[in-house]
Amino acid sequence: DIQMTQSPSSLSASVGDRVTITCQASQDISKSLNWYQQKPGKAPDLLIYDGSNLETGVPSRFSGSGSGTDFTFTISSLQPEDIATYYCQHFDNLPYSFGQGTKLEIK
Amino acid sequence: EVQLLESGGGLVQPGGSLRLSCAASGFTFSNYAMTWVRQAPGKGLEWVSTISGSDITYYAKSVKGRFTISRDNAKNTLHLQMNNLRAEDTAIYYCAKGSRWLRVWGQGTLVTVSS
């Protein structure tokens, strides 16, 4: 099974900051990676699919990059409404495991 | 509007059984794979099971042999039969549309396994 290692586990940043989260796969998954946002008490939302494609309706301050084993998720200018936990998930082959999550807080 | 609505959660004793349902609307249910994802209290997301549009099923190792995913395309409903439940199965269970890209999620249903 493919393991996803996400870091950091938590992050505190100021409004307007650039925020970066990384996700590493235990083997080559090409671009088979999604990023989800989960706000407290809510179900997750898909933000980025296939490594770098922005889901319809998602603000352009969110972006993803990477391929193979190393991936990056970036918020270019942090907004108060971005407070959430972010998860990567691969879909190279089942089981489609998630990273451990990154809890983002406002400083 | 695409919607998913889970039901069937509750409190069950260890070793007991529970059947979750997910009612789908707003899309052609039979054309899509469907997935269950769970989240233990205060923990991260865990993929549980997926069923393809042609009824091929997949399970996480942690639930294989105890959980059964199924679908009723006539009623646009997804099910998760959970047997021999353990304390570590306590979680919010979400159903989601799709397999690789989970674009639509339900609100979740809480399953608590405790004596």
Side-chain angles (χ1 to χ4, degrees):
Chain A
D1 295 357
I2 297 172
Q3 309 302 318
M4 305 303 296
T5 303
Q6 188 176 337
S7 61
S9 56
S10 64
L11 179 56
S12 181
S14 300
V15 172
D17 282 354
R18 183 180 183 88
V19 170
T20 299
I21 298 168
T22 63
C23 190
Q24 186 171 59
S26 59
Q27 65 188 65
D28 190 336
I29 58 169
S30 185
K31 290 193 171 187
S32 301
L33 186 103
N34 300 326
W35 290 96
Y36 295 87
Q37 176 193 64
Q38 186 180 31
K39 295 186 177 181
K42 301 294 186 181
D45 288 317
L46 178 64
L47 298 185
I48 303 288
Y49 64 96
D50 295 354
S52 60
N53 294 318
L54 194 66
E55 180 70 354
T56 302
V58 174
S60 59
R61 64 180 179 273
F62 296 100
S63 65
S65 64
S67 66
T69 60
D70 295 306
F71 299 85
T72 300
F73 172 82
T74 300
I75 306 174
S76 60
S77 178
L78 184 66
Q79 300 303 302
E81 60 266 31
D82 300 336
I83 297 313
T85 300
Y86 294 85
Y87 296 92
C88 62
Q89 184 201 21
H90 85 86
F91 56 91
D92 183 71
N93 56 72
L94 287 160
Y96 296 158
S97 54
F98 291 88
Q100 304 95 316
T102 296
K103 186 175 183 180
L104 181 54
E105 298 174 332
I106 294 285
K107 194 180 292 184
Chain B
E1 181 189 6
V2 176
Q3 286 192 325
L4 299 172
L5 185 63
E6 301 95 337
S7 60
L11 175 64
V12 61
Q13 292 188 340
S17 298
L18 214 53
R19 189 191 196 206
L20 305 184
S21 297
C22 171
S25 60
F27 64 102
T28 305
F29 180 72
S30 59
N31 287 353
Y32 289 88
M34 296 293 293
T35 295
W36 288 98
V37 174
R38 69 184 180 183
Q39 186 169 36
K43 302 298 184 182
L45 301 171
E46 179 186 12
W47 173 84
V48 173
S49 181
T50 291
I51 185 168
S52 73
S54 53
D55 284 351
I56 300 172
T57 59
Y58 307 89
Y59 299 95
K61 289 176 183 175
S62 58
V63 306
K64 194 167 186 178
R66 300 187 299 123
F67 289 13
T68 302
I69 191 171
S70 63
R71 62 192 302 157
D72 184 340
N73 290 336
K75 295 183 178 179
N76 293 340
T77 303
L78 176 72
H79 298 289
L80 187 68
Q81 177 67 43
M82 305 185 296
N83 298 331
N84 191 19
L85 283 160
R86 306 166 179 167
E88 55 265 34
D89 296 318
T90 294
I92 296 172
Y93 285 74
Y94 296 100
C95 66
K97 175 183 170 224
S99 58
R100 293 180 174 84
W101 308 282
L102 304 179
R103 288 191 157 96
V104 180
W105 297 61
Q107 85 291 346
T109 188
L110 177 63
V111 172
T112 303
V113 184
S114 175
S115 54

